[in-house]
Amino acid sequence: MAETHSLQDLRHQAAVIAKVFIQRDYTNGTLCQFQTKFPSELETKIDKQQFEETVRTLNNLYAEAEKLGSQSYVEGCLACLTAYTIFLCMETHYEKVLKKIAKYIQEQNDKVYAPRGLLLTDPLERGLRVIEITIFEDRSLTQ
Amino acid sequence: MHLGESTRECEYSQISTRSSTPMETPYKKKTPKKRKWETFPGRNRFYCDGRIMMAKQTGVFYLTLVLILVTCGLFFTFDCWFLAEQLTPIIPVIGAVLFLFVIGTLLRTSFSDPGVLPRATPDEAADLERQIDVANGSTGYRPPPRTKEVVINGQTVKLKYCFTCKIFRPPRASHCSLCDNCVERFDHHCPWVGNCVGKRNYRFFYMFILSLSFLTVFIFAFVITHIILNSQRIGFLSALKDSPASVLEVVVCFFSVWSIVGLSGFHTYLISSNQTTNEDIKGSWSSKRSKDNYNPYSYGNIFTNCCAALCGPLPPSLIDRRGFIQSDAPQLAPPTNGLPMYGSTQSQQSHKCDQDQCIQSTKFVLQVATTPLLQQQQSSEPVILSPENGASLPGRASLALGGPCTSLPLGQPTPPASTPSLSCHEATDLLPIHGHPHNHSHPLQEQLAHHHFLTPEEVPSPPGMLHCGSPLGHSHTMQGSFYNPASQDSLHEDSVRGLVKLSSV
């Protein structure tokens, strides 16, 4: 009757009930942003505030990745001058932020979502189209 | 049969028709890990183990390359010596720099991922279908073209649904029919570079045509200079005879200048107004359409638009060409391995699966016919080899092999509410997913245990396998009488699967 699950337990033993997909929000153009609307399937599973907080943080991180600022311009110009060979040795700013996002999702999964029987999938694995939230069957793991 | 395991209690449990490869028995066959590019669904070609990505037709690209190499080669061989002596040696140096830049940007444009959007996973596609059906009320046989409207910076933009990729295309994305992919910020498909031009390689394309215009003008100008200087010494005709290559270069450059410089100018205009070729041709943001029509993506001033297009952040490739296909997710086995099974991602399913189904089915018919196990496994109902029960299956050839296979609309869905426009992948998408993701290290029993809870309609199946009420129920009964397949030999399991497949044809 254990309510809490660890991330490993979820992945290996629990059965998937359903998947919820958070679609992209294009109201600000082609920037990568996700809708913060709380899906009805998650109503019993997680706090609305918590969910919105996660999505908002992800949106901010993606905005940071695609930000047009002096840093990105310098990087772009430098890359052009070195005929883009500079990317053989260093990561682009975008890639660095994507790594940050992956870490954040992992952390959220461990702390917030897995204990509630949910699992966030990194949108990068879905082509930045959706945030996939897998809902696992809430059953005892003491088999 | 494993004699060594005879002491173990035989369990009668369903065979998981939705496990991974049929060879996933105690005799684990070591298959080399496949990279994702090998099962990419689009019509692209990959080289260098997935590092290089191009369109299918690359003939014109080689022409471009040859033209540039030959012209520059002739220039450096025949004209540069004269010019270096008579004028300055800096000329060949500048020429060399331009040439290297042109080749570099050309290769970068041609070989990189233009911004291909990976196709939707079956779960996503099913979810979208559900939403659309709810919205439409599922009327009619084939639903009308699906669009979604979204307001971007005050302009209403229509997002179209892509039937091939099963996604709603993001704004500015378009589906390239030549490459069969949706590409983000699709500009155009350029045969000269042998690739689509999209979000990720637009700046390289622009740099290529810009530098090529400079190079063309440069070569043209200096070849003319060479001829003129030479003719001042020895006369015009003898100058021409002295370096016939120069004539060829002049001709090539003359024709190139008009097209390349024109193209550069056009793309400079597009960049400064932040439009794509696609949008410009369609006149999407033209003020001729309506007075309030404006480009919602433009940053307002030319400088920012240019900077954004050329120096903005470069998004990484979304298709992960060189990643390995995850072994813990149910995946499409390579054709040589046995029955291709239900894949967890769209990208792993290809046209090949249709043909392989038919070929494998034949194999199993032959195997089954020769195994004495056939009697043992038969339940009261015989194997049915003809289409069953109601669900209309247009174009279904029972076991007609070869040609018709690829054109078969395989895997028609059972639930009568679904539209037949759904393809084989979606037949199973309507079902809630059970036991997913799977882990191979998991004991087979546990996987089978999951399937006890599935009703006949819900048993997921490989693409091409039918869900008809009765054959499935029939196969269900058959499965119920089987031993735990883990204790059987792999041929038995394969032939069982073959039977199950045949029964639903």
Side-chain angles (χ1 to χ4, degrees):
Chain A
M1 272 215 315
E3 281 281 331
T4 58
H5 316 268
S6 79
L7 193 53
Q8 295 291 68
D9 293 336
L10 277 182
R11 282 211 174 107
H12 294 247
Q13 294 177 32
V16 176
I17 298 180
K19 293 190 179 187
V20 183
F21 297 97
I22 314 295
Q23 300 287 339
R24 283 272 293 270
D25 175 19
Y26 293 115
T27 51
N28 284 330
T30 51
L31 292 176
C32 184
Q33 301 279 287
F34 291 96
Q35 293 176 357
T36 47
K37 189 170 84 83
F38 188 58
S40 51
E41 293 94 333
L42 296 179
E43 257 160 30
T44 53
K45 295 273 179 177
I46 194 168
D47 202 21
K48 183 177 175 185
Q49 243 72 337
Q50 194 76 57
F51 169 80
E52 280 180 9
E53 164 76 31
T54 309
V55 180
R56 230 175 267 134
T57 314
L58 283 175
N59 283 344
N60 289 338
L61 285 170
Y62 282 114
E64 187 196 321
E66 297 181 26
K67 196 174 64 155
L68 291 172
S70 51
Q71 195 200 353
S72 66
Y73 290 150
V74 164
E75 196 182 60
C77 289
L78 190 66
C80 184
L81 291 173
T82 59
Y84 298 95
T85 52
I86 197 166
F87 291 137
L88 294 169
C89 6
M90 77 171 225
E91 263 184 344
T92 65
H93 173 65
Y94 207 113
E95 282 167 354
K96 285 194 194 122
V97 179
L98 285 178
K99 284 216 172 112
K100 234 200 304 188
I101 290 172
K103 233 178 23 187
Y104 173 75
I105 288 177
Q106 175 76 20
E107 179 205 345
Q108 285 285 293
N109 271 333
D110 284 332
K111 289 199 199 141
V112 178
Y113 289 85
R116 292 173 169 81
L118 300 171
L119 187 70
L120 285 180
T121 307
D122 194 340
L124 191 64
E125 291 174 34
R126 298 287 178 262
L128 291 182
R129 290 185 306 261
V130 287
I131 303 176
E132 185 179 302
I133 303 178
T134 318
I135 304 175
F136 287 95
E137 197 178 319
D138 199 11
R139 61 177 186 183
S140 167
L141 297 173
T142 56
Q143 282 187 338
Chain B
M1 292 269 204
H2 292 193
L3 293 176
E5 290 171 349
S6 55
T7 49
R8 202 207 290 173
E9 206 185 305
C10 283
E11 289 180 36
Y12 288 73
S13 44
Q14 290 177 33
I15 290 176
S16 147
T17 53
R18 198 183 160 262
S19 65
S20 49
T21 68
M23 304 295 187
E24 230 22 70
T25 58
Y27 317 119
K28 258 201 173 95
K29 238 189 207 174
K30 256 288 180 192
T31 50
K33 270 202 163 188
K34 279 198 145 198
R35 293 200 191 254
K36 289 182 187 169
W37 66 263
E38 298 180 61
T39 50
F40 188 71
R43 249 181 267 139
N44 290 91
R45 285 210 199 151
F46 296 89
Y47 304 104
C48 286
D49 199 21
R51 289 182 181 90
I52 291 176
M53 174 176 178
M54 293 182 77
K56 195 170 173 199
Q57 308 293 342
T58 50
V60 189
F61 164 71
Y62 292 121
L63 174 68
T64 310
L65 208 55
V66 161
L67 273 174
I68 295 174
L69 289 173
V70 165
T71 313
C72 292
L74 291 175
F75 177 71
F76 288 120
T77 318
F78 294 103
D79 300 274
C80 274
W81 305 113
F82 182 88
L83 292 163
E85 282 171 34
Q86 295 289 319
L87 294 174
T88 160
I90 296 178
I91 294 171
V93 172
I94 297 177
V97 168
L98 272 175
F99 168 72
L100 290 172
F101 198 76
V102 164
I103 294 292
T105 46
L106 170 64
L107 295 181
R108 189 83 200 210
T109 311
S110 305
F111 294 164
S112 57
D113 171 14
V116 173
L117 287 168
R119 297 192 183 183
T121 57
D123 305 328
E124 279 179 64
D127 188 65
L128 275 179
E129 292 276 345
R130 264 196 297 268
Q131 285 178 21
I132 291 163
D133 279 341
V134 162
N136 277 354
S138 41
T139 51
Y141 218 57
R142 182 171 170 88
R146 304 158 177 179
T147 54
K148 232 193 316 194
E149 288 207 346
V150 70
V151 177
I152 301 175
N153 285 339
Q155 282 282 317
T156 312
V157 177
K158 259 203 189 133
L159 301 184
K160 291 205 188 130
Y161 181 78
C162 180
F163 283 99
T164 313
C165 305
K166 305 222 174 57
I167 55 170
F168 274 99
R169 278 182 221 131
R172 311 192 96 178
S174 190
H175 190 94
C176 175
S177 48
L178 289 161
C179 301
D180 203 25
N181 292 317
C182 272
V183 179
E184 274 189 292
R185 203 188 179 280
F186 180 73
D187 195 85
H188 66 285
H189 181 99
C190 186
W192 299 96
V193 302
N195 205 358
C196 287
V197 177
K199 182 160 125 178
R200 294 189 74 247
N201 64 353
Y202 186 59
R203 69 191 67 189
F204 307 126
F205 175 74
Y206 181 72
M207 287 285 130
F208 165 63
I209 54 174
L210 195 66
S211 52
L212 188 62
S213 346
F214 286 130
L215 182 68
T216 323
V217 169
F218 180 86
I219 292 181
F220 187 69
F222 281 105
V223 169
I224 300 277
T225 312
H226 173 210
I227 293 176
I228 290 175
L229 287 178
N230 219 8
S231 56
Q232 277 174 354
R233 291 191 311 165
I234 56 175
F236 184 65
L237 284 173
S238 12
L240 287 180
K241 264 194 278 185
D242 203 29
S243 54
S246 308
V247 180
L248 177 67
E249 288 167 53
V250 166
V251 168
V252 170
C253 289
F254 180 75
F255 289 112
S256 308
V257 158
W258 295 112
S259 44
I260 304 287
V261 171
L263 197 62
S264 308
F266 174 61
H267 278 280
T268 309
Y269 156 70
L270 287 181
I271 284 185
S272 57
S273 61
N274 203 331
Q275 286 186 84
T276 63
T277 306
N278 209 20
E279 286 165 356
D280 186 74
I281 287 177
K282 288 184 192 163
S284 311
W285 313 121
S286 155
S287 50
K288 291 185 198 146
R289 275 212 181 183
S290 86
K291 262 203 310 185
D292 309 320
N293 213 16
Y294 60 89
N295 185 0
Y297 311 109
S298 172
Y299 292 95
N301 70 77
I302 293 176
F303 182 68
T304 319
N305 283 339
C306 290
C307 285
L310 302 176
C311 309
L314 186 66
S317 175
L318 296 173
I319 53 178
D320 188 25
R321 311 187 284 284
R322 286 178 44 81
F324 288 105
I325 296 171
Q326 295 302 318
S327 57
D328 56 278
Q331 54 181 274
L332 209 56
T336 51
N337 225 19
L339 270 181
M341 303 299 271
Y342 173 68
S344 65
T345 62
Q346 288 287 60
S347 62
Q348 291 155 22
Q349 290 161 340
S350 64
H351 295 303
K352 268 188 168 240
C353 93
D354 303 343
Q355 276 172 324
D356 295 330
Q357 295 286 344
C358 291
I359 294 166
Q360 294 303 330
S361 306
T362 340
K363 249 208 243 169
F364 287 123
V365 172
L366 298 172
Q367 282 174 350
V368 155
T370 54
T371 51
L373 295 167
L374 189 60
Q375 267 99 43
Q376 220 177 338
Q377 290 148 30
Q378 287 283 0
S379 63
S380 50
E381 292 132 277
V383 173
I384 295 165
L385 288 174
S386 54
E388 274 243 336
N389 190 40
S392 62
L393 314 156
R396 172 148 288 281
S398 50
L399 273 186
L401 309 162
C405 290
T406 45
S407 57
L408 282 180
L410 292 170
Q412 300 303 318
T414 308
S418 326
T419 61
S421 63
L422 294 175
S423 72
C424 64
H425 316 303
E426 294 164 27
T428 53
D429 297 344
L430 302 167
L431 320 167
I433 293 100
H434 288 265
H436 178 82
H438 281 307
N439 197 337
H440 280 343
S441 59
H442 221 41
L444 205 56
Q445 258 98 13
E446 179 115 16
Q447 281 190 359
L448 299 174
H450 287 321
H451 292 283
H452 275 303
F453 299 112
L454 297 175
T455 66
E457 283 80 51
E458 285 179 342
V459 172
S461 72
M465 183 158 161
L466 270 188
H467 285 304
C468 287
S470 134
L472 200 61
H474 151 76
S475 59
H476 214 66
T477 343
M478 281 175 67
Q479 289 163 18
S481 64
F482 289 141
Y483 288 88
N484 182 346
S487 65
Q488 306 296 319
D489 62 287
S490 52
L491 178 60
H492 170 113
E493 201 177 280
D494 295 342
S495 43
V496 159
R497 289 186 198 286
L499 283 175
V500 168
K501 271 189 59 63
L502 292 177
S503 65
S504 57
V505 162

